[in-house]
Amino acid sequence: MATAHTATHSASAHDHHDDHEHHDNFITKYIFTTDHKMIGKQFLVTGIFWAIIGGLLSIIFRLQLGFPDMELYWLKPILGGWIDDAGKLDPNFYLALVTMHGTIMVFFVLTAGLSGTFSNFLIPLQIGARDMASGFMNMLSYWFFFLSGVIMFISLFIETGPASGGWVVYPPLSALEQAMPGSGLGMTLWLIAMTCFIASSLLGGINYITTVINLRTKGMSFSRLPLTIWAFFLTAVIGLLSFPVLFSAALLLVFDRSFGTSFYLSDIYIGGEALPNTGGSPVLYQHLFWFLGHPEVYIVLLPALGITSEIISVNSRKPIFGYKAMIISMLGITILSFIVWAHHMFVSGMNPFLGSIFMFLTLIIAIPSAVKVFNYLTTLWRGNLIFTPGMLFSIGLVSFFISGGLTGIFLGNSAIDIQLHDTYFVVAHFHLVMGSASFFGLMAGVYHWFPKMFGRMMDARLGYIHFWLTFIGVYMVFFPMHYIGIAGFPRRYYSWTNFEFSNMYTDLNMFVSVAAIITFGAQLIFLFNFFYSMYRGRVASLNPWRSNTLEWTTPLHPKHGNWPGEIPTVYRWPYDYSKPGAAEDFIPQTVPLSATPESNLPHEQELVKLEKAIIADEEEVLVANESKES
Amino acid sequence: MYGFLIAVGILLLISIIWMVYRIQTLVSVVKGSDKKVASGSNKVNAMMFVLFLVGSGVLMFWYSIKEFDNYNPPLASEHGAVTDQLFWITMAVTGVIFIITHVLLFWFPYKYQYKEDRKAAFYPDNNKLEVIWTVVPAIVLALLVIGGWKAWSDITKPAPENAHVVELLGYQFAWEVRYPGMDNVLGANDYRLTNASNVSGVDFSDKNAHDDFNSPVVVIPKGEPVLFKIRARDVLHSVFAPHMRLKMDAVPGMPTKFWFVATKTTEEMRAELNDPEFEYEIACTEVCGKGHFSMRRVINVVEPAEYRKWLAEQKPYIVNNPALVENLSPEMKELAEITISEHK
Ligand code: HEM
Ligand SMILES: [Cu+2]
Ligand SMILES: [Cu+2]
């Protein structure tokens, strides 16, 4: 390509430092790699694979909801017996599709695909470390995830179908094989897969936390960390504290399923038979599940918020507004996310007094979320905005975060939730605030860091088209769901025609399904752009977005170890954009304050003295070392 | 056929993408715009945000107003009036925030789009602003929560003594509706007694069970408190009566309840909606298996006098099926015979 040569010269100078490095073979470089960058890419590509699967599943059940009379014979080659002789989708398989869609999207795409990709890729690069604290654990983390995926994938094809009780897999439905076919082998495989997934998350999380705490480069204090890193760090903390609880919930479920215990089972008559179990409580499972489940929504969301904070700041050419407030909000969300779980259970039959308590706690967590939105808006205000695809997706995220966050205020109010619980209103809410917002964070991150990942640029104009189709598409899909939710349409329904109150809006559902198919189709643009640019994209310059953070000081294709020489030292926070007095509109973190007297703020002028002393000290040590060596 | 169409569609899409892509790379190379900080597309994207704001805003208002009566389920319970009011107050408050934030979010990109000769403002923080927009949402939310809390406490407080009891038992895949009969006390139950002729596992050795009866329709009086006692016998289910703004899970091993007062009879609602077919309905809203989407029951709200008449006409389980009391102790059986003869 003609354009490929224009930008190379800036990068080539750095490219031949590594003659002394050991050479990896294919297996250690691409498969069992311990390089955090490659592991990040592995997570990304696997996440994209799962996003396609999860998306396809949703298209199938959207066909059922939008076009209930459609004959689906053409799906018989893949779905076999799940399409009956009249060409109709089996209602059991409908539930299986919904369940797998939810599980895949929440865990495989938006947890592993998002956190896994960007925590791995960015933490060492942005804090100035050679790699993760433990490369080996990091590798294990990916391979546990991979194994989990393989098992989940196999479960899609077994005769009784995959797990089908919804992504929350509430017992007794999920505990009793008699209750539905998916609760047999499919559910067993789900539990095994999730156990591997939890192991993967924990291995990753421990690594992220350790790395951020211990391996920051010189000068990179916590108050100089980019917000991305703060977000990844807090996400890992949440995961580390909540995933083990999911594990215990799953373990007790395994006992109930296979060893005759009664943790969740009591007084059950099913399949013409009274079971011996007494004394268990299905509500106990719900408490345990949501103790992970609610923090999980922030595990999914926080990294996306971190990514957008960075991208919006860079492309507004402005410091993020309220850096400290952003950190405090994220800390607040981290803590509060552990004490709101029972807002998913207002009508589960638990004590109504608990409902009151959790209503108050839930609405408190809306406050830090609101602060974040206002801070994003103020960052855009009086900026000099460049609409890279990453920036577009970030703005889209803020929009979804507002739309979906506001409906949370309805659902968090237990009196209003009576009517809305388990209707499409909830589906609209969490798809906007958690699904779409995080997905846009993932996309923003890919567009923004693609040059660092692959040394090439993704095509911007395809990115714009991808953004607008997706942004409009997502609203077309999820906004109408509010209306049918208010009308009372229940979730996880194969068809709504059995009820008079929901025997309407067939047109709207058809519209939603068409919009979903178009939106899914628009992702092909991204896939093309992603894989094409990986090999044929325009070669990137070293710092294409003119950004301040450390990752852009590495060579175009950083080797294992990231920086050829010394790891750079950090002298300032990452958001010195458009500083008054400075010639350029950005000052990278590696530029000492003493080098920019013209733009220093009064309190920074104070720091200059300190900095000079440190630099002098260092030089002495350096000189001493050199004289020793020679 | 569909498969073929889809394949053609995908092929077409891919080739279009490909062409657009080739053409625009060539154009950008010719124009040299690939080296600029912000290309001409910057203006287009900025415009698009404004267009999106106006377009989707108009669409939203138009549809929300046009469809208002369709997506609002008719209301027929006392507490529902309160929760509906809370819903619309919350809608007003969040609606205003929604609009303001979105106007700003989409107008800023237009107003502050990149200009080479402008420098962004260096504006890293302002504690006063942060405090304002922490405290103001806190106050607004507190007000909303207090309203919700009051309503919630009222709704969930114990049912009045005189509430008419109805038991709803969820099972795969239907609801069994059991009435306590004239004594308004449900007989005891034990899940081990369940069988084809005793769906709810009623324990007929409890005298209170003798006048219990079931009904294919949930009949309740207007204007008097009704208490739903809710059970499940196999997996979780959830009672959802959209017009009553009522929802409560049915949990195996843990009976739950919900009480309410219906405000309009079915006839009145039919007249009001001008729909002679209208019925109040119960659906299941906790996924429970294959038939989850078909667990329908009708609620028939009638005038209290009509309710009492209906109640008196119903035949207890043991009248319809005397075999149910065959294995009872002699004394119990005697009591049962009396009940049976009363209803002959
Ligand atoms: C900000 C990020 C948020 C995320 C990622 C998120 C995610 C979710 C998800 C996934 C569900 C679905 C649960 C289900 O399967 O039924 C849900 C429901 C819910 N969300 Fe959020 N949410 C967020 C914000 C909020 C906020 C700000 C509130 C309240 C102020 C809220 C309140 C609720 C409530 C009460 C439910 C349960 C509703 C029901 O089950 O009927 N959420 N949320
Ligand atoms: Cu939650
Ligand atoms: Cu159900």
Side-chain angles (χ1 to χ4, degrees):
Chain A
M1 265 177 69
T3 44
H5 307 289
T6 48
T8 15
H9 63 274
S10 53
S12 55
H14 299 265
D15 251 355
H16 30 245
H17 66 277
D18 58 324
D19 304 315
H20 53 275
E21 242 177 49
H22 66 280
H23 282 273
D24 291 319
N25 59 30
F26 181 82
I27 293 202
T28 55
K29 180 150 183 221
Y30 292 108
I31 300 177
F32 294 110
T33 173
T34 55
D35 181 352
H36 70 99
K37 297 186 291 300
M38 185 54 71
I39 294 176
K41 291 179 211 171
Q42 289 175 327
F43 270 106
L44 179 58
V45 172
T46 318
I48 290 175
F49 168 80
W50 279 111
I52 296 169
I53 302 282
L56 282 174
L57 298 181
S58 74
I59 298 294
I60 302 177
F61 64 73
R62 252 348 292 188
L63 282 179
Q64 163 63 27
L65 294 177
F67 307 92
D69 300 322
M70 191 179 198
E71 287 175 0
L72 299 172
Y73 290 118
W74 54 277
L75 279 172
K76 237 179 152 64
I78 344 173
L79 299 187
W82 296 117
I83 305 288
D84 70 10
D85 295 334
K88 293 273 166 292
L89 192 68
D90 183 275
N92 270 321
F93 195 66
Y94 174 86
L95 292 176
L97 288 171
V98 175
T99 305
M100 283 296 115
H101 164 76
T103 307
I104 288 170
M105 288 301 192
V106 172
F107 293 112
F108 289 4
V109 181
L110 295 179
T111 305
L114 180 62
S115 263
T117 302
F118 290 104
S119 298
N120 268 313
F121 190 78
L122 287 181
I123 288 177
L125 284 174
Q126 287 200 331
I127 67 171
R130 299 241 177 249
D131 202 327
M132 282 289 174
S134 164
F136 180 72
M137 268 168 71
N138 213 17
M139 178 183 86
L140 274 188
S141 161
Y142 175 75
W143 286 103
F144 268 112
F145 168 50
F146 187 85
L147 181 65
S148 163
V150 169
I151 297 168
M152 201 64 92
F153 193 73
I154 290 172
S155 85
L156 286 170
F157 299 98
I158 62 178
E159 196 181 341
T160 48
S164 324
W167 78 281
V168 298
V169 296
Y170 283 174
L173 185 62
S174 62
L176 303 173
E177 225 170 305
Q178 309 91 304
M180 70 194 313
S183 297
L185 180 60
M187 188 62 210
T188 306
L189 292 177
W190 191 94
L191 288 165
I192 297 172
M194 284 312 296
T195 304
C196 295
F197 186 85
I198 293 167
S200 156
S201 281
L202 295 181
L203 286 166
I206 290 170
N207 236 332
Y208 308 151
I209 294 171
T210 326
T211 310
V212 173
I213 293 179
N214 288 326
L215 298 183
R216 281 165 292 125
T217 184
K218 199 152 189 291
M220 183 63 93
S221 61
F222 267 88
S223 58
R224 284 176 180 167
L225 281 182
L227 287 173
T228 36
I229 303 302
W230 268 105
F232 300 149
F233 177 68
L234 293 174
T235 303
V237 172
I238 299 178
L240 202 60
L241 294 177
S242 62
F243 267 112
V245 180
L246 177 66
F247 180 67
S248 62
L251 196 65
L252 299 189
L253 187 53
V254 169
F255 283 144
D256 271 10
R257 286 167 56 81
S258 308
F259 305 114
T261 55
S262 308
F263 290 105
Y264 307 135
L265 306 178
S266 184
D267 299 13
I268 290 169
Y269 177 90
I270 192 167
E273 171 193 22
L275 303 186
N277 312 65
T278 51
S281 166
V283 178
L284 168 65
Y285 174 87
Q286 297 176 26
H287 280 297
L288 291 175
F289 180 87
W290 286 113
F291 192 89
L292 158 93
H294 190 82
E296 170 66 22
V297 305
Y298 292 99
I299 292 176
V300 162
L301 193 71
L302 277 184
L305 291 175
I307 287 170
T308 33
S309 303
E310 173 69 20
I311 296 177
I312 286 185
S313 172
V314 173
N315 290 297
S316 300
R317 313 310 294 163
K318 257 189 88 184
I320 189 82
F321 181 78
Y323 175 76
K324 287 225 174 71
M326 288 297 228
I327 295 171
I328 294 169
S329 307
M330 284 199 280
L331 275 168
I333 288 176
T334 303
I335 295 163
L336 288 168
S337 74
F338 283 103
I339 48 172
V340 301
W341 78 88
H343 65 207
H344 299 264
M345 301 165 58
F346 286 138
V347 295
S348 66
M350 72 176 185
N351 190 322
F353 176 68
L354 268 185
S356 312
I357 301 291
F358 277 93
M359 163 164 48
F360 279 101
L361 292 170
T362 297
L363 294 195
I364 297 176
I365 207 172
I367 297 168
S369 309
V371 170
K372 290 194 77 83
V373 168
F374 295 136
N375 284 353
Y376 284 132
L377 288 175
T378 317
T379 306
L380 294 176
W381 180 64
R382 293 173 64 198
N384 207 10
L385 312 187
I386 304 168
F387 301 111
T388 62
M391 179 68 162
L392 292 176
F393 276 94
S394 302
I395 294 175
L397 178 149
V398 177
S399 171
F400 294 149
F401 187 50
I402 297 171
S403 310
L406 287 175
T407 50
I409 294 171
F410 294 77
L411 298 170
N413 190 327
S414 55
I416 304 176
D417 187 54
I418 295 172
Q419 175 74 0
L420 297 177
H421 176 71
D422 268 350
T423 64
Y424 262 66
F425 196 85
V426 175
V427 179
H429 159 70
F430 70 81
H431 274 98
L432 285 174
V433 80
M434 154 161 112
S436 306
S438 308
F439 177 71
F440 269 44
L442 174 68
M443 283 298 135
V446 172
Y447 279 106
H448 192 79
W449 280 288
F450 191 89
K452 193 73 261 160
M453 288 181 177
F454 301 103
R456 291 170 187 272
M457 306 295 285
M458 283 177 86
D459 185 75
R461 218 156 305 185
L462 285 184
Y464 304 147
I465 298 170
H466 174 218
F467 168 76
W468 284 109
L469 285 177
T470 312
F471 184 57
I472 295 171
V474 164
Y475 267 125
M476 293 296 138
V477 173
F478 296 116
F479 205 83
M481 289 186 186
H482 293 107
Y483 299 109
I484 64 171
I486 295 170
F489 284 49
R491 286 174 79 179
R492 299 173 181 146
Y493 262 35
Y494 173 73
S495 134
W496 287 296
T497 49
N498 286 320
F499 296 86
E500 273 167 36
F501 78 87
S502 62
N503 190 7
M504 54 173 177
Y505 280 130
T506 42
D507 51 344
L508 198 61
N509 272 309
M510 202 184 294
F511 175 82
V512 167
S513 294
V514 172
I517 292 168
I518 295 175
T519 313
F520 181 79
Q523 306 316 304
L524 295 179
I525 303 175
F526 169 78
L527 286 180
F528 167 78
N529 199 354
F530 183 81
F531 288 106
Y532 183 89
S533 306
M534 211 188 257
Y535 299 102
R536 305 280 305 272
R538 192 158 50 84
V539 172
S541 55
L542 275 181
N543 189 357
W545 318 118
R546 301 180 306 132
S547 166
N548 287 344
T549 37
L550 280 185
E551 72 272 29
W552 305 106
T553 63
T554 58
L556 190 62
H557 293 283
K559 293 284 178 308
H560 199 169
N562 296 340
W563 285 269
E566 286 290 305
I567 299 180
T569 305
V570 164
Y571 297 98
R572 57 178 76 228
W573 77 328
Y575 296 110
D576 270 343
Y577 291 104
S578 298
K579 216 171 179 189
E584 288 268 17
D585 65 358
F586 69 114
I587 312 176
Q589 285 190 278
T590 48
V591 177
L593 291 171
S594 49
T596 56
E598 68 284 358
S599 69
N600 286 347
L601 301 172
H603 74 274
E604 288 170 334
Q605 211 51 48
E606 296 288 307
L607 291 174
V608 166
K609 288 187 207 108
L610 200 68
E611 194 184 279
K612 276 195 174 134
I614 295 173
I615 295 177
D617 263 4
E618 257 168 34
E619 255 155 31
E620 249 169 59
V621 175
L622 223 63
V623 170
N625 279 350
E626 255 163 40
S627 58
K628 242 186 266 167
E629 270 169 31
S630 56
Chain B
M1 186 56 199
Y2 278 119
F4 177 71
L5 278 182
I6 288 175
V8 170
I10 291 175
L11 223 70
L12 219 73
L13 200 68
I14 291 176
S15 47
I16 291 174
I17 296 170
W18 177 262
M19 260 162 47
V20 170
Y21 179 72
R22 286 303 301 167
I23 293 171
Q24 59 99 353
T25 359
L26 292 179
V27 171
S28 75
V29 171
V30 172
K31 288 207 298 208
S33 59
D34 53 334
K35 286 187 215 75
K36 279 209 214 124
V37 171
S39 61
S41 319
N42 219 47
K43 205 174 264 153
V44 179
N45 280 313
M47 274 308 292
M48 281 293 289
F49 277 115
V50 178
L51 283 180
F52 179 80
L53 175 69
V54 176
S56 58
V58 168
L59 207 65
M60 179 183 83
F61 276 109
W62 168 73
Y63 196 82
S64 303
I65 294 167
K66 169 173 106 67
E67 289 287 311
F68 189 81
D69 289 326
N70 280 337
Y71 58 78
N72 268 300
L75 165 69
S77 73
E78 271 180 10
H79 75 269
V82 180
T83 56
D84 272 18
Q85 193 192 18
L86 282 172
F87 178 90
W88 288 110
I89 291 173
T90 309
M91 184 67 88
V93 173
T94 55
V96 170
I97 301 167
F98 177 74
I99 291 168
I100 294 175
T101 47
H102 268 96
V103 167
L104 296 180
L105 181 67
F106 293 146
W107 176 59
F108 284 168
Y110 181 76
K111 176 113 200 281
Y112 300 110
Q113 56 182 289
Y114 186 82
K115 301 225 170 56
E116 223 159 317
D117 52 1
R118 202 186 55 224
K119 198 162 180 180
F122 187 81
Y123 188 49
D125 52 24
N126 179 334
N127 288 341
K128 206 151 137 209
L129 274 180
E130 302 281 4
V131 170
I132 290 176
W133 59 48
T134 308
V135 172
V136 172
I139 294 172
V140 173
L141 284 167
L143 292 177
L144 290 175
V145 163
I146 288 169
W149 176 61
K150 277 204 190 116
W152 174 252
S153 312
D154 282 345
I155 293 167
T156 56
K157 74 179 180 220
E161 291 283 320
N162 62 342
H164 302 277
V165 175
V166 183
E167 184 189 69
L168 297 171
L169 171 91
Y171 63 96
Q172 289 178 326
F173 296 98
W175 299 101
E176 169 79 358
V177 184
R178 174 162 71 123
Y179 281 80
M182 286 305 177
D183 60 359
N184 203 30
V185 180
L186 286 164
N189 61 271
D190 184 332
Y191 77 104
R192 278 164 294 218
L193 298 173
T194 311
N195 59 44
S197 55
N198 187 0
V199 177
S200 317
V202 182
D203 179 0
F204 290 100
S205 67
D206 177 3
K207 190 178 154 295
N208 291 329
H210 290 181
D211 59 349
D212 289 7
F213 64 88
N214 74 340
S215 164
V217 177
V218 183
V219 181
I220 56 170
K222 168 187 147 182
E224 294 181 9
V226 173
L227 170 64
F228 279 170
K229 293 197 164 182
I230 300 165
R231 289 200 292 130
R233 73 170 199 203
D234 39 34
V235 300
L236 293 171
H237 301 272
S238 188
V239 177
F240 176 39
H243 309 102
M244 304 299 163
R245 310 294 191 262
L246 179 159
K247 189 175 288 133
M248 182 52 69
D249 281 7
V251 186
M254 190 185 92
T256 56
K257 58 184 190 300
F258 201 113
W259 75 273
F260 66 106
V261 180
T263 54
K264 285 177 195 157
T265 65
T266 304
E267 286 307 324
E268 283 169 349
M269 189 58 97
R270 282 177 182 169
E272 186 183 315
L273 298 176
N274 208 359
D275 172 8
E277 309 273 271
F278 175 86
E279 299 280 13
Y280 295 117
E281 291 174 306
I282 286 178
C284 177
T285 46
E286 187 62 69
V287 62
C288 56
K290 184 175 175 138
H292 171 51
F293 66 106
S294 59
M295 288 176 61
R296 177 171 188 257
R297 278 282 174 238
V298 167
I299 305 180
N300 193 8
V301 182
V302 296
E303 294 293 345
E306 199 184 337
Y307 175 71
R308 273 170 248 286
K309 186 161 153 275
W310 175 83
L311 206 58
E313 288 165 1
Q314 300 307 305
K315 296 233 178 336
Y317 285 109
I318 57 172
V319 175
N320 287 332
N321 183 6
L324 288 170
V325 290
E326 245 154 39
N327 300 328
L328 296 186
S329 63
E331 311 92 83
M332 268 301 149
K333 210 161 173 182
E334 208 168 303
L335 281 173
E337 309 276 73
I338 298 175
T339 312
I340 293 175
S341 59
E342 274 170 4
H343 283 270
K344 280 278 148 70

